[in-house]
Amino acid sequence: MRVLGLETSCDETGVALYDSEQGLLADALFSQIDLHRIYGGVVPELASRDHVKRMLPLIRQVLDEAGSTAEDIDAIAYTAGPGLVGALLVGASCAQALAFAWGVPALGVHHMEGHLLAPMLEESPPEFPFVALLVSGGHTQLVRVDGIGRYELLGESLDDAAGEAFDKTAKLIGLAYPGGPEIARLAETGIPGRFVFPRPMTDRPGLDFSFSGLKTYALNTWQACKAAGDAGEQTRCDIALAFQQAVVATLAIKCKRALKQTGLKRLVIAGGVSANKALRQELESMVATVSGQVFYARPRFCTDNGAMIAYAGCQRLQAGQHEGPAIVVHARWPMDSLPAL
C-alpha cells in the first residue's frame, strides 16, 4: 500500500509518501519559523494561510522525488488532531478533496500517535511493548504501549509541556523564538553548577510532571541577576544550562520510575524535544543502569513531519480502518480513545 501523508497541525507543512513494502519513498517539510519569529510565537491565522500556500507544491515535489503519480497512490493520511483547528482544516480539506478526485480512501491520524510511531521509520525499530515519553511543545506524557492503539497513560504534565516551558523560559530571558533550540545552544557554553534549579515533582511518588514552577524559578533567577547588574550573555548561558539540566533530569527520573513500574526495558522518546542532545544522552545513561534500551527517531522526524503521519496512517489503513468523506478535526483528542489494531 502506498500512502500519501499530510501534516498541518501547527506551523510546519509536512508531506511524505510511504510504501508498506519499500518504506519511506520521499518526504518534504516547510517550516514557518521565520514567518512567526517576529511575533514571538505561532499566529494561528498566518499558519493556516501558509499551509494553503505550501501544500500543493510540496505534494508535487514529493511525488516527483518518488517518481510517482496520482495513479500510484492507494490512500491519503492526514493529521486530524490535536492541533490548531484552522491549520488542521487545511490538511483535512486537501486530503479529502484529493481522495475524492483520485478515488482513494482518506484517514485522519492522531498527531501524537504519529510522533509515537516515528521511531518505527528507523532501521532498528523498537518492538512492542515499551514505555513512550512523548515530549513536545504541546504534550509531555508517559505512555505504556502494547501495540498500535493499545495505550495506557501513565503520567502527564499538569501544566506546561516541557517544550512549552523551554519556549516560554527562552522568551523570559530575552531569547529568540523558537526558544527550545536557543536554550540548548546557550547551554553548551554554560558554567555547570553556577545555578541549580529544582527538579519539580520528583520528591513525591507518581509519574506526572509540572514545569510551570521551573519556568518561574528561571525568571526569578534572571531578574535577580539583572538587579545585581549581571545580565550578560554568560549569565544567560548559565541559566539556560541550569534550566535544561533540571528538565532533562526530571524527565529521566520519571522515565526510570515508569520502566520500573511497568517492568519493561524498552523506552521510546518522541516529539520535538526528543531531538535535544542532552536529553538523549541522559536517557541513554539511565537505561544502561537498568539494562534497558532507548529508541528515538532521527532529528528531522522528531519535529512535526509528514512521514510519521504516512506511516501511522498506513498501519491503520492496512488493518481495515477507514472513514467517510466528512472533514472532521479535533483541537483536543485523547490518544487512549483511539481504536486498537
Side-chain angles (χ1 to χ4, degrees):
M1 174 176 281
R2 191 162 290 190
V3 179
L4 183 68
L6 310 180
E7 156 61 24
T8 62
S9 65
C10 190
D11 62 337
E12 290 172 314
T13 313
V15 178
L17 188 61
Y18 181 83
D19 188 282
S20 58
E21 299 292 331
Q22 303 176 55
L24 184 64
L25 302 180
D27 71 283
L29 182 73
F30 183 85
S31 175
Q32 302 175 7
I33 286 176
D34 291 340
L35 175 64
H36 300 287
R37 179 173 283 125
I38 59 174
Y39 302 101
V42 177
V43 180
E45 176 65 19
L46 295 181
S48 302
R49 290 178 180 272
D50 203 67
H51 285 312
V52 173
K53 180 180 178 181
R54 308 293 176 182
M55 181 59 71
L56 291 180
L58 285 177
I59 291 174
R60 296 190 189 99
Q61 176 183 331
V62 165
L63 292 179
D64 287 345
E65 288 182 3
S68 298
T69 65
E71 287 73 24
D72 300 318
I73 306 301
D74 297 308
I76 302 175
Y78 63 93
T79 303
L84 302 175
V85 170
L88 292 168
L89 284 171
V90 174
S93 300
C94 182
Q96 291 288 9
L98 290 176
F100 179 80
W102 296 346
V104 299
L107 180 69
V109 172
H110 193 289
H111 179 73
M112 295 310 296
E113 181 172 72
H115 275 305
L116 186 152
L117 297 177
M120 300 296 184
L121 294 165
E122 303 303 318
E123 291 185 1
S124 300
E127 296 180 359
F128 300 113
F130 54 78
V131 170
L133 171 66
L134 300 177
V135 57
S136 67
H139 298 80
T140 301
Q141 297 177 327
L142 278 167
V143 181
R144 178 184 172 122
V145 181
D146 290 300
I148 297 177
R150 298 169 62 194
Y151 308 130
E152 177 189 354
L153 181 64
L154 302 175
E156 61 184 339
S157 179
L158 304 178
D159 40 57
D160 291 350
E164 182 182 6
F166 265 101
D167 287 340
K168 288 181 176 178
T169 298
K171 188 173 184 179
L172 290 173
I173 64 174
L175 300 180
Y177 173 85
E182 287 296 299
I183 291 277
R185 180 181 64 83
L186 292 187
E188 291 180 357
T189 53
I191 299 174
R194 182 184 174 191
F195 301 112
V196 178
F197 287 8
R199 279 55 172 160
M201 295 187 70
T202 58
D203 59 347
R204 66 192 75 175
L207 296 174
D208 287 331
F209 304 90
S210 173
F211 295 108
S212 181
L214 190 59
K215 174 188 64 183
T216 304
Y217 196 97
L219 173 61
N220 292 339
T221 302
W222 173 241
Q223 289 178 334
C225 290
K226 286 201 298 182
D230 183 14
E233 187 67 7
Q234 186 59 54
T235 295
R236 277 196 177 92
C237 294
D238 298 343
I239 291 175
L241 176 60
F243 176 83
Q244 178 174 269
Q245 287 176 329
V247 173
V248 166
T250 299
L251 293 173
I253 290 168
K254 297 287 185 168
C255 285
K256 187 173 184 178
R257 287 183 186 176
L259 292 174
K260 182 178 180 180
Q261 178 176 308
T262 59
L264 299 176
K265 296 293 185 180
R266 287 183 288 270
L267 174 68
V268 166
I269 56 171
V273 182
S274 69
N276 183 283
K277 294 179 181 178
L279 177 60
R280 292 188 176 200
Q281 292 170 357
E282 183 72 15
L283 291 178
E284 286 172 354
S285 297
M286 182 275 292
V287 297
T289 66
V290 296
S291 301
Q293 293 175 285
V294 62
F295 300 85
Y296 40 74
R298 70 198 82 167
R300 69 191 180 101
F301 291 152
C302 291
T303 55
D304 296 349
N305 64 88
M308 66 183 193
I309 301 303
Y311 176 85
C314 184
Q315 307 314 304
R316 289 191 170 276
L317 286 158
Q318 284 187 302
Q321 189 172 334
H322 58 84
E323 61 185 28
I327 298 172
V328 180
V329 297
H330 314 272
R332 299 181 181 276
W333 191 4
M335 197 168 65
D336 56 7
S337 68
L338 297 176
L341 298 190

